[in-house]
Amino acid sequence: MPDKIISGAATYRTNRGQTEWFLVRSQQSDRWELPKGLTRGGESSVAAILRFLRENTGLRPTVIEEAGRASSNDARLIFYLVRGDIGMTDGPIFIEGTWFTYSLARRRLSLIREQRVLSQANSVLRKWRTKNGNRSH
């Protein structure tokens, strides 16, 4: 069983009534992916993704709930549905990211695993909005 835990985020915002999803460019290639980072010793997966997004993208994120799990040869991945439309921090931004509509974001993701996570996150978001009676968040 892999001992590394990587936290990922299917990050959304509402822009002019439209839900958009945040993707980042891979640092190893030119492909788009969901933002993710390695958990540090003693850090929860939720704390790790919040830290990663704040430190690297400038977003001030809010975790809504878990959106999916996956594994690779050397790590377990835990993805969260994250609201990222609260604002931006004043710190530097280290990772290039762009907001896409759901259909375009799904097409841009090259990894099938991440396409599935985005689909699961979109489902979780729809259920969450229905349950909370709030279509804008």
Side-chain angles (χ1 to χ4, degrees):
M1 182 163 174
D3 35 319
K4 284 195 301 188
I5 298 175
I6 297 174
S7 292
T11 306
Y12 77 95
R13 72 175 181 185
T14 303
N15 184 25
R16 297 185 186 127
Q18 176 90 23
T19 301
E20 297 176 327
W21 298 89
F22 187 72
L23 302 182
V24 296
R25 284 229 192 249
S26 169
Q27 294 177 338
Q28 290 80 29
S29 68
D30 198 32
R31 68 175 191 235
W32 290 96
E33 60 185 35
L34 296 172
K36 52 193 164 300
L38 191 61
T39 58
R40 296 177 178 164
E43 182 178 48
S44 73
S45 57
V46 170
I49 196 56
L50 292 173
R51 173 190 47 78
F52 180 83
L53 289 170
R54 285 184 194 121
E55 290 177 357
N56 294 289
T57 67
L59 294 173
R60 284 195 271 165
T62 302
V63 170
I64 304 300
E65 64 182 78
E66 188 176 311
R69 291 180 180 235
S71 62
S72 66
N73 291 335
D74 64 342
R76 289 185 297 146
L77 293 91
I78 305 171
F79 289 92
Y80 294 94
L81 173 62
V82 174
R83 188 175 65 216
D85 60 343
I86 294 174
M88 302 292 278
T89 64
D90 294 328
I93 297 173
F94 296 105
I95 296 176
E96 176 190 354
T98 303
W99 296 96
F100 296 99
T101 62
Y102 172 76
S103 59
L104 189 52
R106 193 164 150 100
R107 283 196 306 270
R108 292 280 172 107
L109 290 169
S110 58
L111 295 175
I112 292 171
R113 169 182 67 215
E114 294 196 3
Q115 292 172 358
R116 285 187 195 127
V117 167
L118 183 64
S119 178
Q120 290 169 331
N122 194 44
S123 250
V124 169
L125 178 59
R126 283 195 314 267
K127 289 175 188 171
W128 185 82
R129 284 177 168 166
T130 300
K131 177 180 158 187
N132 292 291
N134 187 342
R135 298 210 36 92
S136 65
H137 289 296

